[in-house]
Amino acid sequence: LAAADGIPGLCVGGKSTMSSVAVLTQESFAEHRSGLAQQQVKVTALNSEEENDPPTYKEAFPPLPEKAPCLEAAQEPAGPWSKIRPIKASVITQVFHVPLEERKYKDMNQFGEGEQAKICLDIMQKTGAHLELSLAKDQGLSIMVSGKLEAVMKARKEIVARLQTQASATVAIPKEHHRFVIGKNGEKLQDLELKTATKIQIPRPDDPSNQIKITGTKEGIEKARHEILLISAEQDKRAVERLDVEKVYHPFIAGPYNKLVSELMQETGTRINIPPPSVNKTEIVFTGEKEQLAQAVARVKKIYEEKKKKTTTIAVEVKKSQHKYVIGPKGNSLQEILEKTGVSVEIPPTDSSSETVILRGEPEKLGQALTEVYAKANSFTVSSVSAPSWLHRFIIGKKGQNLAKITQQMPKVHIEFTEGEDKITLEGPTEDVNVAQEQIEVMVKDLINRMDYAEINVDHKFHRHLIGKNGANINRIKDLYKVSVRIPPDNEKSNLIRIEGDPQGVQQAKKELLELASRMENERTKDLIIEQKFHRTIIGQKGERIREIREKFPEVRYLSFLCYLSNNFAGMYSLWQIREESNTKIDLPAENSNSETIVITGKKANCEAARHRILAIQKELANITEVEVSIPSKLHNSLIGAKGRFIRSIMEECGGVHIHFPTEGSGSDTVTIRGPAQDVEKAKKQLLHLAEEKQTKSYTVDLRAKPEYHKFLIGKGGGNIRKVRDNTGARIIFPTSEDKDQELITIMGTEEAVKEAQKELEALIKNLDNVVEDSMVVDPKHHRHFVIRRGQVLREIADEYGGVMVSFPRSGTQSDKVTLKGAKDCVEAAKKRIQEIIEDLEAQVTIECTIPQKFHRSIMGPKGSRIQQITRDYGVQIKFPDREENPAPVVEPAVQENGEEGGEGKEGKDTDPSSPKKCDIIIISGRREKCEAAKEALQALVPVTIEVEVPFDLHRYIIGQKGSGIRKMMDEFEVNIQVPAPELQSDIITITGLATNLDRAKAGLLERVKELQAEQEDRALRSFKLTVTVDPKYHPKIIGRKGAVITQIRTEHEVNIQFPDKDDESQAQDQITITGYEKNAEAARDAIMKIVGELEQMVSEDVTLDHRVHARIIGARGKAIRKIMDEFKVDIRFPQSGAPDPNCVTVTGLPENVEEAIDHILNLEEEYLADVVDNEAMQVYMKPSSHEESKAPSKGFVVRDAPWATVNNEKAPDMSSSEDFPSFGAQVAPKTLPWGPKR
C-alpha cells in the first residue's frame, strides 16, 4: 500500500517485493478527490467529540474493485474507487534483497554509516535513482530503489557489484561464436551485462582460449550463462562452406548489379560472400543453415559448370584512356553490358600498360557485347583548349562562378586545369564537350582582349614593405587600379611579382610598385649599439617616446630594437620573428651576466624548432663570409639566364651559396656572393670563368628532346655528354626536376663550339627519334632472370637506354625470340647489355665452401652486413644451408656377429665419416674467378676463439638483465661471447670472432670486470650494519607522523633504517638496525640518539578536565588541539570512550612546556564550562521532546462493523503482538541518514 506520508514502498517480512508508485500532480489529485466526492465518501477524523459515533469499517477502509473475469462481463464495480482514473507510472520502485552471507559489509554497528553509506550516496549521484536501506530479521539487506526504469536498472547493477560479494564462473563455447555474444559494436554484450547485473569477460581474438568469464551474483551468473549457451546453440545450427571458383566466372554468379546472388540469398536464406573484383581471391564463402547452404552451393556450382562449358572469349584492343568509359561510374557500364548481353567484360588493372579487353560469354552474344563496348568507349571524348595559365583563375571565376554556369548546363563534362600548363582539358560526352569547348574558347578570347599581365623583379626582402601593415599598401594599389597583384610567399624566396588585370591599370600599378621598390633600394640601414638597459627608457611608457621619434622623422620607415643572441655572437639578430612563428617565449641573459644560456619556454615541438633556428643563426654568423665580384652589368642578364636557370645551377653546384645581382638599370657591376667560405670561393671562380666566356664566346642555342632521352644523351656517369663537351668545348645544360620545360636543353659557348655540339646532339636525338624494331635470340632458360621481380631487370634496361621496350615471349611457349623496340642506338646498346647479362649467366658456376655451421652466424655479421658486402664486392650469390636443429649423436660401430655386419652397419658403409656435413656447406654462385675470390673472403671471416678468465660471481652481471649486457658487448665489438653454464662454476669466458676484433673485445670485457669489481667493493662498504638500542616507547616518535621523521633521516644520510617487527616475539623489540656506509650509518645513529635524548627529558602529567568540554578543546577535526600542541610543543592525549576516568587528559613534553600547556587548557576549561552550565540551565525551561512525553492510555483507532465483529466473533488484531505485527529487524537508534533527508 502507498502511505500518505510519501514512503514509496514496503518490504514485509524481509522478502523481495516489487511495486510501482504513481506520482500525483495537483490536477490529477483534484480529479481523485472529485471522484471520491461524487460517491459522498466521508473521511472522518476520530476526535474526542465524535468518539460515540465511530465510522464503519467500509467507510474507513473502502474495498478495492474486484478483477472482472473477462472484458465483456466486466462491469464498473460499485464503490468509492470506481471513478478514479488509472495514472501511468513514470517512476518505478524495486526492492532487492541481499542475503547475509552475500553482504560485503556485515558490521551491524555501522548500519547507515561507514563505507556502505558512502557507496549508496555515490550510486544515487551516479544513476539519479533514490535508495532506501533496511535490515531484515535474518540480517539480510533490503534495498528499495525508486526512479526511472533506466536509472533503476543501472542502480541495480551498481548495487550488485559494490554491496554484494562477487562470485565468478566460466562457460566454454566455440571461439567462432564469441562475436555473436559481443554483437555489433558490443551492444549485445552491454545489454546482457545490464540485464543480468554481471560482468562478462570475453577473451581477445588473438587469445586461443574459448572460456568466457562471468562475475556477479549466483543468480546473475546463472542467467548470463543460460543466455550465452542459447546464443551458442543458435549458432551451432549454422554452417560455413568455401567454394573455389575461377575469378573470371564471378560476374556470372553475382549477376548484373548483384541481382542473381541477391535472389539466391533471399531464396535459400544463405549469406554468400563473393570477393570484389579488386581483391585477387577465388574463394566464395557461404554461411547459413546446413540444408539451405547445401542448396545454395549446388546452385552456384551449376551456374559455374554451365558457364565453363558454354562461354568462350574474344580479346579486343581499346585505348587505355577509354577503359574508364567502358567501366563507367562505379562499374555501372560493365553491369549494363552484362545485363543486356549476358557477357562479362574483363578490363586490365589500371597499373598495367595492357590495352587488351577480354569479352567472355556465349558465342552468339559476343558480337552484340563488342558493339556495346566500342559504343561505351567512344561515347566520351577528351579535348583541350589553349589558354594562358595566368588566365585560368579568371576563367574559373570567384568561388568557381563562371565555371559553374558551364558545368550546370553540361554536368557530365569534366573540366581540368593543370597548374603551369597553358591549356584546359575537357572530358565527357562528345556533343557536350564540343559545346563546352566553344563556350570556354569564347571566354578565353574575351579575357585575352581585355586583360593583360606584367611581371616585375623586386628583391624579396622588400616584399613585406610593399604589402604594408595588414596589407594596406597592396590593397590600395589593387582598389585604385582594379588589378590583382600576386606576391610570392616568404618561404619561396622568389623576387617575381605578377600584376594581372586591365591593361592600363596593370601598367600604372607596375610603375608605382617599381617606384616603391626603387625608393627602398636606395634606403640604408644603420645599426646603433646601445646598452640593453637603456632600451626601455628610449621606447618610453607604452612606446610614447619611440612614437615621437618616428613622427619627427617620417621618412625613417623601420625602426626596431635588436638583441644580442649570445655574448660570443659576431652580429645581432631580431628575435621577434622567431618568437612569433614558433609561438614561444625567449629569455636572453641579463646584460651584466656572464651566462651564455638563452631560455626558450613553450610547447616541446615549438621549443625545438626555435632552438634549431637560433643555433642555425649562430652557426651562420660564425661561418658565413661575403665577397663582392665585379662583372660588367651588360653580362648580368645572360649570366642569370631564363628565369634564373644558369645562376641557379651554379648556386646548387656550389652547395647553396647565395648570389645577388644588382637591380636592373642601376648600372652597378657589383655581384655579391654569400655563404660558407669554401663554397663562396668556388662560386666566385665559376662566375668569373663564365663571365669571361660570355664576353669572348657569348653564343647560346636551345635544343628540344624528350625527357626520357636525356639519360641516354648524358650516358652512364655523364660519359656521353662529357665526350661532346671535350670534343667541342661547349657547355651543355639539361633541365632540372624543378624546371617547367623538361624538354629544353641549352648549349653555351663560342659560336663554332655551340654549332658543333648542336650538330652532334641533333644527330643523337634524330637517331633516338628513329624508332626501329629488332629481335635477338635468348635461350628460354635465361628468360626468368629478366622477368622476375615484375621485370626489374627490363625496367633498368629501359631507364638506361632511352625507354627501349623489350618483349620476352609468354611463359609456357618455347620461343627464344626477344623483341626490342625503340631508337636505333638505344636498341643496339640494349642488345649489347642483354648479351652481357646472358654471358654472365652462362659463365656462372657454383662452388662449395665448407665452414662449420657454428661459425655461420659470426660470418654473416650483424643483420647479414658482412655477407651483403661480399655479394656486392664480388657480384656473386651466397646461400647458407638450413640450420641442423638436432645434430645426430655419434653412433658406436655395430658389433659383428658370425662375421657379418649389423643391419644398420650396411647403411653406414655408404657415408664417408671424413665427408663434410650438409649443414656446413655454403654455396657460392657467379663467375668462377669471382666465386673463388668470394670463397677466400668467406674463409677469412672464420672466427678465432680466445679465453678470458673472469671471476664466476661476476658472470651474471656481465650477462645483464635478460642478456642485455652481453648482447650490447657482442654488438659493439662484433664478436660472440660464450659464458659457461652456472652449474659448471667455471671462470673461463670464451670470445669468438675475427682476429682484428678479439683484442678490442677482450679489453672491453676486462674493463667491464674492473667496473663490476669496483661496484662490488662499493656494495660491501654500503652493507655496513649498525644496531642501536632504543626503548620501544620512543619508536613512534622517531618514526614521526606518517613516517616523516625517519624518512628525513634516511634521505639525509642515505641509509636504510629497520625497526623491529612488533608481531615477531623472537626479535629484540628495542633494537633498531641501520645499514649503509659506515660514516653515514654513524651519523644516522647520532641523529636518532639526539631525538631519544630529547624524548628522555620529556615528562608526562595527567590533568583532570571536565569531559563535557573535551569536544570544544579538540575542535573541528582536531584543528584546535593541534594548534595548542604546535604552540606549546607538547603531545596531548584525551581518554577514549569507555575509559575508567573520562576526565583524565595526559600532556607529554619538556617540563616547562607541559606546565604552560596545562595552564592554557585549564583556562579554556573554565571558559567553556561556564557555557555548558548556562546551556543546561536553559534546557530546564525547554519543552520536552515528543517521545519523552508521558502518553495517556488510548483506545486506539476504533471502527464499527469490522470483520472481526461479525457472527464469528473474531478478536481484533493485537497491535502489541509480534506475531500479528512482526518487526522489520533490529531497532536502529534514530539519527540523520547519510544518504539524504527522510521523505
Side-chain angles (χ1 to χ4, degrees), residues 102-142:
E102 287 185 20
R103 279 180 59 190
K104 198 176 266 189
Y105 304 98
K106 296 179 183 174
D107 190 352
M108 305 303 165
N109 298 327
Q110 284 201 329
F111 182 74
E113 53 187 66
E115 194 62 34
Q116 187 170 273
K118 285 179 191 172
I119 288 169
C120 288
L121 272 173
D122 187 43
I123 293 171
M124 284 163 69
Q125 284 169 358
K126 263 189 183 175
T127 62
H130 180 72
L131 269 67
E132 288 190 17
L133 272 73
S134 66
L135 274 178
K137 242 182 180 180
D138 60 358
Q139 299 303 318
L141 191 66
S142 291

Side-chain angles (χ1 to χ4, degrees), residues 1037 1041 1094-1095 1097-1103 1105 1113 1118-1134 1145-1162 1164:
K1037 288 289 178 185
R1041 195 173 179 192
E1094 287 173 4
L1095 291 170
Q1097 290 175 16
M1098 290 184 178
V1099 294
S1100 284
E1101 279 192 35
D1102 291 343
V1103 59
L1105 280 183
I1113 290 171
K1119 198 174 178 183
I1121 199 67
R1122 268 202 305 277
K1123 192 178 176 185
I1124 295 168
M1125 289 196 293
D1126 292 344
E1127 189 181 335
F1128 295 100
K1129 293 184 177 59
V1130 293
D1131 183 51
I1132 302 171
R1133 296 281 167 198
F1134 285 82
V1145 175
T1146 307
V1147 184
T1148 308
L1150 294 171
E1152 59 273 19
N1153 294 350
V1154 168
E1155 283 176 19
E1156 286 176 17
I1158 290 171
D1159 288 346
H1160 181 73
I1161 56 176
L1162 287 172
L1164 288 176

Side-chain angles (χ1 to χ4, degrees), residues 772-784 786-787 794 797 804-810 813-821 827 830-835 838:
V772 295
E773 192 169 316
D774 200 353
S775 65
M776 65 185 292
V777 174
V778 176
D779 194 319
K781 69 181 180 185
H782 299 312
H783 289 192
R784 190 172 177 277
F786 290 94
V787 297
L794 293 181
I797 291 170
V804 67
M805 283 175 65
V806 184
S807 302
F808 276 76
R810 284 178 181 274
T813 60
Q814 287 303 308
S815 172
D816 58 0
K817 187 181 176 184
V818 175
T819 310
L820 295 93
K821 192 177 181 181
V827 167
K831 274 174 77 175
K832 194 177 175 186
R833 177 72 187 121
I834 290 170
Q835 205 59 51
I838 290 164

Side-chain angles (χ1 to χ4, degrees), residues 1039-1155:
I1039 293 166
R1041 195 173 179 192
K1042 293 182 181 177
V1045 177
I1046 203 68
T1047 303
Q1048 192 181 345
I1049 295 170
R1050 280 175 181 149
T1051 311
E1052 201 176 311
H1053 300 288
E1054 295 177 352
V1055 292
N1056 181 29
I1057 302 170
Q1058 200 70 38
F1059 282 82
D1061 188 354
K1062 289 179 185 175
D1063 301 329
D1064 188 355
E1065 292 177 7
S1066 62
Q1067 260 187 310
Q1069 292 297 305
D1070 59 352
Q1071 299 292 313
I1072 299 173
T1073 309
I1074 306 168
T1075 312
Y1077 289 115
E1078 188 176 355
K1079 189 180 172 184
N1080 294 1
E1082 286 170 356
R1085 178 196 60 195
D1086 295 344
I1088 291 170
M1089 292 316 291
K1090 187 183 175 186
I1091 295 167
V1092 171
E1094 287 173 4
L1095 291 170
E1096 282 173 345
Q1097 290 175 16
M1098 290 184 178
V1099 294
S1100 284
E1101 279 192 35
D1102 291 343
V1103 59
T1104 302
L1105 280 183
D1106 194 304
H1107 68 275
R1108 290 174 294 176
V1109 298
H1110 286 192
R1112 281 196 70 180
I1113 290 171
I1114 292 165
R1117 295 181 183 177
K1119 198 174 178 183
I1121 199 67
R1122 268 202 305 277
K1123 192 178 176 185
I1124 295 168
M1125 289 196 293
D1126 292 344
E1127 189 181 335
F1128 295 100
K1129 293 184 177 59
V1130 293
D1131 183 51
I1132 302 171
R1133 296 281 167 198
F1134 285 82
Q1136 291 184 340
S1137 57
D1141 185 359
N1143 300 329
C1144 181
V1145 175
T1146 307
V1147 184
T1148 308
L1150 294 171
E1152 59 273 19
N1153 294 350
V1154 168
E1155 283 176 19

Side-chain angles (χ1 to χ4, degrees), residues 191-487:
D191 188 43
L192 191 58
E193 285 185 334
L194 202 63
K195 204 159 75 177
T196 61
T198 57
K199 174 75 182 161
I200 300 169
Q201 288 174 293
I202 294 175
R204 296 177 65 82
D206 51 6
D207 187 345
S209 170
N210 62 353
Q211 297 281 344
I212 295 174
K213 188 179 179 185
I214 312 165
T215 310
T217 60
K218 287 176 187 173
E219 184 190 355
I221 288 170
E222 284 304 314
K223 275 187 192 175
R225 192 170 181 279
H226 174 69
E227 289 287 337
I228 290 167
L229 289 171
L230 270 181
I231 292 165
S232 181
E234 193 181 318
Q235 292 309 316
D236 272 334
K237 293 176 190 173
R238 299 174 71 79
V240 177
E241 191 167 329
R242 290 173 166 79
L243 184 65
D244 206 47
V245 176
E246 286 176 62
K247 189 82 180 169
V248 292
Y249 294 105
H250 286 192
F252 298 114
I253 292 163
Y257 304 104
N258 288 328
K259 282 180 187 170
L260 196 60
V261 79
S262 300
E263 284 170 18
L264 192 57
M265 282 160 72
Q266 211 167 355
E267 283 172 30
T268 61
T270 305
R271 189 174 167 204
I272 303 170
N273 183 18
I274 299 174
S278 56
V279 177
N280 192 23
K281 278 188 180 178
T282 56
E283 212 174 56
I284 298 174
V285 182
F286 300 80
T287 314
E289 302 286 337
K290 288 177 183 175
E291 288 175 17
Q292 294 163 330
L293 183 136
Q295 286 177 26
V297 171
R299 291 268 296 273
V300 169
K301 277 184 182 174
K302 189 181 174 187
I303 295 166
Y304 174 42
E305 296 298 336
E306 192 182 315
K307 291 294 174 190
K308 210 170 178 182
K309 282 179 191 173
K310 289 184 180 179
T311 57
T312 183
T313 60
I314 59 166
V316 293
E317 296 293 318
V318 177
K319 283 183 187 173
K320 191 76 182 172
S321 58
Q322 293 178 324
H323 284 191
K324 58 183 172 183
Y325 308 131
V326 177
I327 296 166
K330 295 181 181 175
N332 281 348
S333 298
L334 292 178
Q335 297 296 334
E336 196 182 315
I337 294 167
L338 184 62
E339 190 174 36
K340 277 186 184 177
T341 65
V343 173
S344 163
V345 181
E346 295 162 23
I347 307 283
T350 48
D351 55 355
S352 164
S353 59
S354 172
E355 295 188 340
T356 306
V357 173
I358 296 168
L359 282 73
R360 188 181 301 274
E362 293 173 17
E364 62 272 15
K365 292 179 181 175
L366 287 172
Q368 187 191 346
L370 185 59
T371 311
E372 286 284 338
V373 166
Y374 279 125
K376 298 283 182 199
N378 297 319
S379 63
F380 279 69
T381 187
V382 178
S383 180
S384 64
V385 177
S386 290
S389 59
W390 67 273
L391 281 180
H392 288 185
R393 61 197 189 89
F394 298 106
I395 295 165
I396 294 164
K398 197 173 184 180
K399 293 182 181 175
Q401 285 174 352
N402 299 348
L403 210 59
K405 291 173 189 172
I406 299 168
T407 52
Q408 279 166 9
Q409 290 172 14
M410 287 150 285
K412 290 185 180 177
V413 176
H414 174 68
I415 303 167
E416 191 178 322
F417 295 82
T418 310
E419 196 177 336
E421 284 190 15
D422 293 339
K423 68 172 184 178
I424 301 163
T425 309
L426 292 89
E427 191 180 303
T430 312
E431 290 177 12
D432 290 358
V433 165
N434 292 337
V435 176
Q437 187 174 349
E438 283 175 22
Q439 288 186 16
I440 290 173
E441 280 173 350
V442 169
M443 207 186 285
V444 169
K445 199 172 180 182
D446 173 54
L447 285 168
I448 287 170
N449 290 336
R450 62 184 179 84
M451 298 284 280
D452 194 8
Y453 78 93
E455 288 181 345
I456 58 171
N457 265 304
V458 175
D459 195 317
H460 68 268
K461 68 184 176 187
F462 299 132
H463 288 184
R464 61 194 184 95
H465 303 303
L466 289 178
I467 294 165
K469 194 175 183 181
N470 297 326
N473 293 351
I474 210 72
N475 289 338
R476 181 183 59 78
I477 291 169
K478 282 178 181 177
D479 296 340
L480 186 62
Y481 303 118
K482 304 286 184 286
V483 292
S484 166
V485 183
R486 302 184 74 185
I487 297 174

Side-chain angles (χ1 to χ4, degrees), residues 619-677:
K619 196 174 180 184
E620 190 181 337
L621 291 170
N623 300 330
I624 297 301
T625 60
E626 194 174 287
V627 297
E628 290 182 349
V629 184
S630 184
I631 295 171
S633 57
K634 63 182 179 180
L635 298 176
H636 289 187
N637 279 348
S638 60
L639 285 174
I640 292 165
K643 295 183 181 177
R645 283 180 69 212
F646 297 156
I647 205 68
R648 202 161 53 243
S649 74
I650 292 172
M651 289 196 290
E652 284 171 8
E653 209 175 310
C654 300
V657 297
H658 182 73
I659 301 173
H660 178 68
F661 283 84
T663 52
E664 200 176 346
S666 66
S668 171
D669 293 345
T670 306
V671 176
T672 310
I673 309 169
R674 191 166 183 273

